[in-house]
């Protein structure tokens, strides 16, 4: 059975537990890299949501996860507002796949 995970600061991800997400607490970018590497080796992972504040601390960890896993990984904004990390990643992927910036400039 496929599982969905949410990774980030405990206070920001606790609500996702109520709707069936598995919680992975990561307080900094280094812990994020360790946790994503572990999740990449887990066969039943299908979706991972990462808080933008933690993702911004270690964007290389997200890139490494994308290279080693087929699971969907995206960032979610926090109470501090969106940094548009998920949108920017999608924009790069669309532009790379079709060669045109269809989603517009920043």
């Amino acid at each position: 059975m496929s599982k969905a995970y949410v990774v980030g600061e405990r206070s920001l991800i606790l609500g996702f537990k109520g709707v069936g997400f598995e919680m992975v607490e990561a307080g900094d970018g280094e812990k994020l890299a360790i946790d994503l590497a572990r999740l990449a080796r887990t066969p039943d992972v299908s979706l991972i949501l990462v808080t933008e504040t933690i993702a911004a601390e270690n964007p290389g960890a997200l890139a490494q996860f994308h290279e080693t896993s087929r699971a969907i990984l995206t960032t979610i904004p926090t109470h501090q507002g969106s940094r548009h990390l998920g949108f920017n990643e999608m924009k790069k992927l669309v532009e790379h796949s079709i060669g045109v910036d269809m989603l517009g400039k920043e």
Side-chain angles (χ1 to χ4, degrees), residues 49-106:
L49 304 178
V50 180
T51 60
E52 283 188 337
T53 51
I54 293 295
E57 290 184 27
N58 193 346
L62 277 62
Q64 180 66 29
F65 180 87
H66 285 298
E67 291 176 11
T68 58
S69 177
R70 295 184 62 184
I72 297 169
L73 182 145
T74 192
T75 58
I76 53 174
T78 65
H79 65 288
Q80 298 170 343
S82 178
R83 298 178 185 182
H84 305 289
L85 296 177
F87 177 78
N88 291 337
E89 180 67 24
M90 182 188 338
K91 184 175 146 183
K92 281 191 277 185
L93 292 171
V94 168
E95 188 171 351
H96 176 73
S97 66
I98 63 173
V100 176
D101 181 10
M102 290 193 56
L103 300 177
K105 300 294 177 195
E106 312 229 351

